[in-house]
Amino acid sequence: MLLWIVLFVLVLVVFGLGFTLHILWYVAVALLILWVIGFLMRGRLSGRSTGRSHR
């Protein structure tokens, strides 16, 4: 009986981790898209004279 409980808990932990990692991929992709949009908008709004100077 104890073996079944331990196995059940392990299955729940593995399922929870898999679900969490799956959600984290979506969060990472959404943040990457927002970062790229912000990077492009900052470059367009600031103009060439007020942007950072690159050597």
Side-chain angles (χ1 to χ4, degrees), residues 7-25:
L7 185 62
F8 182 70
V9 169
L10 285 175
V11 167
L12 286 178
V13 168
V14 170
F15 176 76
L17 288 176
F19 184 73
T20 302
L21 290 176
H22 188 74
I23 294 298
L24 287 177
W25 274 109

Side-chain angles (χ1 to χ4, degrees), residues 11-46:
V11 167
L12 286 178
V13 168
V14 170
F15 176 76
L17 288 176
F19 184 73
T20 302
L21 290 176
H22 188 74
I23 294 298
L24 287 177
W25 274 109
Y26 286 122
V27 170
V29 169
L31 289 176
L32 178 66
I33 291 171
L34 288 175
W35 179 78
V36 169
I37 290 172
F39 184 76
L40 292 175
M41 292 302 288
R42 185 183 68 191
R44 294 194 187 275
L45 293 178
S46 65

